[in-house]
Amino acid sequence: GESVGLHLPTLSVQEGDNSIINCAYSNSASDYFIWYKQESGKGPQFIIDIRSNMDKRQGQRVTVLLNKTVKHLSLQIAATQPGDSAVYFCAENPGGYQKVTFGTGTKLQVIP
Amino acid sequence: EAEVAQSPRYKITEKSQAVAFWCDPISGHATLYWYRQILGQGPELLVQFQDESVVDDSQLPKDRFSAERLKGVDSTLKIQPAELGDSAMYLCASSLSGNEQFFGPGTRLTVL
């Protein structure tokens, strides 16, 4: 069936380095993708989104890249900080009021 | 800043008992979602409301779970009877346009 998944379950990075979290999706009809950050004991928090008519979108210290050819999504965090430690989920939205599908998450650990 | 409210934050119950969770979405958000999140996994949609109507409840175990949003504002999710496998985080989210979802802090359910 269609699914959204992540390549790496845990990522450890040194404080100040850049982080890259990857996600593979399989539904070629999806036109909207979201990255969420979830800290321990809290609900997911929206980070950044991207539509399928774009291949790159930048926010504050974060960049999302979309490669529709290989159905791959990545989240880049510049100058990773201890406060970035969390689980990151990519999510796929086919559009409108259809169901959002979440991947299993990548845990980012920032080493001080 | 407007937030999605959920209560209780934590609930411990014995199997076969009934439990209920409450969610108050961000004011004006017509779409409301209930998710279940097992530790280490991404949220899984249980039910989606558009105003007071159910849009998607295909993953809701209807023999024991029920959800309502009678006035199209706040919502209640009920489990009766609770089973050991229901232990999870129950997340509520709301959305204005069906795209970006704002999550509440969740209710952590433990069934003994």
Side-chain angles (χ1 to χ4, degrees), chain A residues 1-5 24-30 71 92 94 99 101-103:
Chain A
E2 302 289 4
S3 65
V4 175
Y25 67 94
S26 58
N27 187 350
S28 57
S30 291
K71 299 177 186 173
E92 171 185 14
K99 183 170 65 177
T101 302
F102 285 79

Side-chain angles (χ1 to χ4, degrees), chain B residues 11-78:
Chain B
K11 179 68 178 179
I12 300 174
T13 191
E14 295 183 343
K15 63 180 181 179
S16 80
Q17 296 298 304
V19 292
F21 313 131
W22 176 80
C23 172
D24 191 13
I26 294 173
S27 179
H29 282 196
T31 311
L32 184 147
Y33 312 80
W34 282 103
Y35 288 89
R36 176 170 58 188
Q37 185 177 28
I38 296 170
L39 190 64
Q41 299 183 15
E44 176 189 21
L45 182 69
L46 292 175
V47 61
Q48 176 179 338
F49 289 92
Q50 183 64 26
D51 298 309
E52 67 276 9
S53 300
V54 173
V55 173
D56 185 346
D57 64 355
S58 58
Q59 300 302 311
L60 188 71
K62 298 181 186 63
D63 57 335
R64 297 185 301 108
F65 287 63
S66 64
E68 60 183 17
R69 193 185 185 198
L70 294 176
K71 298 182 179 179
V73 181
D74 59 338
S75 176
T76 302
L77 178 69
K78 298 180 181 178

Side-chain angles (χ1 to χ4, degrees), chain A residues 63-81:
Chain A
T63 301
V64 55
L65 299 177
L66 175 62
N67 185 330
K68 294 181 287 293
T69 301
V70 295
K71 299 177 186 173
H72 184 267
L73 194 68
S74 69
L75 176 70
Q76 300 179 0
I77 304 173
T80 311
Q81 302 170 0

